[in-house]
Amino acid sequence: MSFATAPQSVFPAISLARVEVFADAGDLVPEQVRTSVADPLEAAFASIPGVRTTRSYSAQGKLEIELDFEPRSDVREDLRNVQAAIAEIRSRLPIERVTSLIEGPEMEPVVSYALRAPSTRQAELRKLVEAALLPVFTGTPGLARVSAFGGPRIAFDVDLDPGKLRAIGDNPADIASLIAAANQPQTAGTIVRGQERLLVVPAELPQDAGSLGALVVPNRRGSGNVALSRLGQVRVAEEPTNEQASFDATHAVILNAYPDLSADAVKLKREVDQRLPQLLRVLPPDTEVTPAWDQTRLIIASQTGLRDEIAAGALIALGIIYLFLRNRALTLVAAVILPLAVVLTVLALVGGGLSLNLMTLGGLAIAIGLVIDEAIVVIEAIARESAANDGVDTGTAIGRAVRRIARPLVTATAANVVVFLPLSFLSGIPGFFFRALSITLALALVISTALALFVAPFLAGAFGGGAAEPARAPIFENAYVPLLRWSLRRARIVVVAAFGVLALTIVLLVRVPTDFLPQVDEGQFEIKYALPAGMSLDAADALATHIERVVLADPAVAHEARLSGVDTNGYLPTPPDAGTIRVTLKPGAPPFDVIADRLRRGIDNVNPYVALEVHQLLEDQVNDLSGAPEPIQITVRGPKQRVLNAIAGRIADHISDLRGVVDAFDGVIYEARAVTAVPRSGDATGAAFAGDLRARDGGLVATQLRVAGVWVPVVVRLTDRTPLDRIAALGPPRLITQVEEENGARIVRVTAGIENADLSTVIGRIRHQISYDVAHLPRGYSIEIGGAVASQRAAFREFAFVLGAAVVLVFAVLLLAFDSFRLPLVILAAIPLSPIGVVCALLLTRTPLNVSSFMGMLLLVGVVVRNGILLVDGANRRRREGLQTDAALEGAARERLRPILITTFAALGALLPLAIGIGAGAEMARPLAVAVAGGMLTATAFTLILIPVLYASATKASSAEAMRARGAEA
């Protein structure tokens, strides 16, 4: 029940210290956008406190600026500062619209729908959909915004006759200004008639083509005024557009639903689905609505898979407990404690405002192996106490067992929990991901310890749990005790062997491939494409439709949806010859890499000139949020755009054929072919000439009328059919490119993806391949390899710090528990040796070392400490009873061997389903499970051998010092 009612999402809540600004700048070319819009905005943002990095992307008529702030800053305050800076210079900028927002996962839709109506034009269908959005979806819980994309919008066209316009001495720009002024709400004050006060309102605002045509235009070259309709034609038409949408290679309107920051994605999808019938009621009867893309598919599939793995792991762990204890009642106690701990952990997560996502559910799956430990220790202690005191009643035996085990158990839990505290220092995506996982683990450990100490004894008494049959422990004891005695006699050999293991770990570690984050097979992906620059929307749309048919022909594809000329979030600058195809796969489809490679070859056969970037959506989203949009990102810096483009092109050519590199792109985005136009007539100059040219081509947008709940633009055009080269001298065509800058310096980013290879291997090949380019750069230019490898380096540095801080905190806990400096060091000495199991497990399973497996190493600190505490506590108790060190160690080893082995094998059994990783979404936690499983095996061995040897040396040294101190006093 707790799983069913908990909020669900793909990722934990992510709130980055990053603000994005998007601006529309009409038809300005990229260089004009850079100098007239980007530079002034960046100068205004430079004075905002906390700004670390500014990145700008200037495209034709579009601008995107990313502002990275200090990680600990208040991003909402940062957003307010950015908005204030924009407002201060807004009036001086040649922009039509500007939007600023906090970057996060909610910028992408949770669910998309395709709407098609065979009897209705796409533009009319879009108008009907947009008119219904506000009344249908307002108040939807968890919904931040909903947008419609695809095809042209309805517009009012004012087609002006050039001759009639010249006759009254007017021009298109002035007509546009007149229409805009007529659309401004105004009042003329009030008048008093007798005892009544009346508000005087001018004529109503224009509402349709007729009222627009009735607007009065002054005649500057004669007497009287002229109705606008006398100067040409006013009609309803379709607005020229640079965007298009389709579903399964058929034009459609795509409806995207975007979540707010804390939305339950699955619940939001259900809410939107429930409102779709209301939307259909206002659309044509033959309208079809089909889910085009659904993020909740992965959420539901991954949560189902992880829940199954949790259940399977729990059953395996319980089976191992029974094999060791051979006691149904005590096994039943563990069977009750385990699900109860999981349920209470979920309730605590929900109460703390967390959702069930890949990381919290992965944490629960990992926690099964750790949660069971506390119950095992208590249950085994009860079984041992009952077996050792046959004549004592069950209640007394349980009380003695709990009193004996409570202190070391609480100490072990505290040591495990403090391991997670330094994770608060992790920044970026790894910080958000693994803090959620660590919170889950910490809650599970605390709850399971409380249940083990207070509920398990009660259940053991109620179920009649008594002595366990000595089934398996004697076999291990008979092998272990002689080995322990041999080790205690030959301590130097053991210590030398430990150093040998440490050296072997270092040698093997360099052979482990590295990566940043694990790749999750999502069951859906997207293809970003770029066609040859300068193509019209119609031509680009036709070629894109051919690409869609290739995608649909693949047997693994269920359906696809395309957006051209607009990004899926509705903000990012996208030229009409580029777009995104989102592909949904059939259940049981082959792995993503196989399908992606197949589609690349198929699309290349249709159009070898199209540039492709094929990636999974959530993987791309994580990369974007990490500040590394592509796994491979080579940044070229320098002052001249043309030189940067040439260098980037050479680098892309050099790396494109490397094994493991796919979708290499030189980062040069061509917008269109441009020509300069100089008026042939001396009378046509400046803004008036530019306005006339815009009116001849796309038209001047004068204003927007609110019609039936939709904003409809009014576009002023000239119907002049005179060839352009008759009225203007045209320069030679030239390609124009987008301009990217970082902290005011020009850059070009060469990007590529990785397929069937690991990050470290591919980066090594790239460094070798471009070494000549790096060595022969012109003066003032530089090359830097970044992307996922930079994020990986930063994450690994932070994890190394976290690991060191965790060891210090654990040492502090042990110091308080044992009131000794030597004993904590004895227990911690096994930590550097446990990674040998991690390294071997990663190599055997061909799992890269990434932030997930690094997290597994962090968990091992707690595992090593837990078993070490149990062993040292048992030895201390026996020494206090008068036994010599070796005898105390042997007695403690016999007593603690079985619980240590049970917890180890039960944890391994619980981790087995996750380590295999057969369920959807399990890939994110699989490296962690592999690392913990491998490390636990070697950590247990070092706990049972190395810690007793070091304990004996430490206690004997302590006794010798005590004797010398007493001799000195005498």
Side-chain angles (χ1 to χ4, degrees), residues 607-892:
N607 188 340
Y609 302 106
V610 62
L612 297 177
E613 178 192 326
V614 187
H615 53 242
Q616 298 191 100
L617 281 80
L618 300 181
E619 176 187 355
D620 181 60
Q621 199 172 344
V622 168
N623 288 338
D624 285 343
L625 295 173
S626 300
E630 298 299 329
I632 299 170
Q633 191 168 281
I634 304 171
T635 302
V636 186
R637 289 183 171 84
K640 295 185 178 180
Q641 192 69 41
R642 185 175 298 176
V643 177
L644 287 175
N645 294 349
I647 296 171
R650 288 197 300 271
I651 291 174
D653 289 341
H654 291 165
I655 70 172
S656 60
D657 294 329
L658 290 177
R659 189 157 51 90
V661 174
V662 293
D663 303 334
F665 174 54
D666 61 11
V668 182
I669 302 175
Y670 293 98
E671 288 284 356
R673 295 170 66 83
V675 295
T676 56
V678 179
R680 296 188 183 277
S681 168
D683 296 334
T685 57
F689 177 67
D692 287 350
L693 290 185
R694 285 201 301 273
R696 284 170 50 94
D697 184 19
L700 299 172
V701 178
T703 186
Q704 296 194 72
L705 308 185
R706 188 72 172 172
V707 180
V710 178
W711 289 107
V712 180
V714 179
V715 184
V716 176
R717 305 178 188 280
L718 274 179
T719 58
D720 189 358
R721 296 293 179 263
T722 306
L724 182 59
D725 58 4
R726 293 273 302 275
I727 61 175
L730 303 180
R734 72 184 193 280
L735 284 171
I736 57 174
T737 65
Q738 290 188 12
V739 179
E740 183 176 354
E741 294 181 307
E742 186 172 85
N743 293 333
R746 286 179 186 262
I747 63 171
V748 173
R749 297 187 196 275
V750 180
T751 61
I754 296 175
E755 192 172 279
N756 300 319
D758 59 84
L759 179 63
S760 56
T761 301
V762 171
I763 291 298
R765 293 171 184 160
I766 289 175
R767 290 187 193 280
H768 179 266
Q769 189 72 8
I770 67 171
S771 58
Y772 181 85
D773 298 281
V774 174
H776 294 81
L777 286 173
R779 178 171 298 186
Y781 292 81
S782 64
I783 292 176
E784 179 186 0
I785 298 178
V789 69
S791 301
Q792 179 206 60
R793 282 197 299 264
F796 280 14
R797 282 195 301 269
E798 291 180 348
F799 261 111
F801 170 78
V802 165
L803 194 59
V807 172
V808 171
L809 290 174
V810 169
F811 178 81
V813 171
L814 297 178
L815 187 64
L816 291 174
F818 291 110
D819 194 24
S820 165
F821 278 96
R822 283 194 174 96
L823 294 183
L825 292 175
V826 165
I827 295 173
L828 295 177
I831 291 176
L833 302 177
S834 56
I836 185 65
V838 177
V839 172
C840 291
L842 295 178
L843 288 172
L844 288 173
T845 59
R846 297 182 179 180
T847 303
L849 176 64
N850 49 42
V851 293
S852 181
S853 44
F854 224 126
M855 182 71 183
M857 289 190 183
L858 183 65
L859 287 179
L860 279 178
V861 173
V863 173
V864 172
V865 167
R866 175 189 299 275
N867 291 336
I869 288 172
L870 293 175
L871 194 59
V872 169
D873 178 76
N876 281 349
R877 180 162 46 81
R878 281 169 171 74
R879 287 182 64 229
R880 286 194 298 270
E881 293 170 357
L883 292 180
Q884 294 297 316
T885 298
D886 287 2
L889 280 169
E890 184 174 328

Side-chain angles (χ1 to χ4, degrees), residues 21 41-42 57-58 122 164 248 298 467 475 526 546 602 769 803 805 844 853 897 959:
V21 178
L41 282 174
E42 288 182 306
Y57 307 85
S58 300
Q122 188 185 20
K164 294 178 179 179
D248 286 351
L298 176 63
I475 299 175
E526 70 179 14
H546 283 299
Q769 189 72 8
L803 194 59
L844 288 173
S853 44
L897 176 63
S959 299

Side-chain angles (χ1 to χ4, degrees), residues 158-161 164-165 168 170 175 178-179 209-219 223-234:
V158 180
D159 298 329
L160 300 173
D161 184 294
K164 294 178 179 179
L165 200 59
I168 66 169
D170 227 325
I175 297 296
L178 181 145
I179 296 172
S211 56
L212 280 170
L215 293 178
V216 176
V217 181
N219 185 346
S223 60
N225 297 324
V226 180
L228 182 60
S229 59
R230 298 287 300 275
L231 299 176
Q233 183 183 13
V234 181

Side-chain angles (χ1 to χ4, degrees), residues 376-431:
I376 288 172
V377 171
V378 173
I379 290 168
E380 198 280 336
I382 292 171
R384 183 174 292 275
E385 188 69 31
S386 299
N389 299 277
D390 244 351
V392 178
D393 64 273
T394 302
T396 303
I398 290 173
R400 289 177 181 174
V402 171
R403 283 192 297 273
R404 188 176 73 247
I405 206 67
R407 180 175 174 177
L409 189 60
V410 171
T411 302
T413 299
N416 272 270
V417 170
V418 298
V419 163
F420 303 124
L421 295 180
L423 285 171
S424 60
F425 294 103
L426 283 182
S427 62
I429 295 300

Side-chain angles (χ1 to χ4, degrees), residues 298-383:
L298 176 63
I299 297 174
I300 295 170
S302 64
Q303 296 194 358
T304 301
L306 286 169
R307 283 199 292 263
D308 291 345
E309 288 170 352
I310 289 171
L315 290 175
I316 294 172
L318 292 172
I320 291 171
I321 292 172
Y322 178 74
L323 286 176
F324 271 93
L325 295 181
R326 294 297 178 91
N327 185 302
R328 291 187 182 90
L330 292 178
T331 305
L332 184 59
V333 172
V336 173
I337 292 293
L338 195 53
L340 185 58
V342 171
V343 169
L344 291 176
T345 302
V346 171
L347 292 175
L349 288 172
V350 174
L354 298 179
S355 65
L356 290 184
N357 51 65
L358 288 176
M359 301 313 297
T360 51
L361 271 176
L364 281 173
I366 295 291
I368 293 297
L370 305 177
V371 163
I372 198 70
D373 286 2
E374 279 80 0
I376 288 172
V377 171
V378 173
I379 290 168
E380 198 280 336
I382 292 171

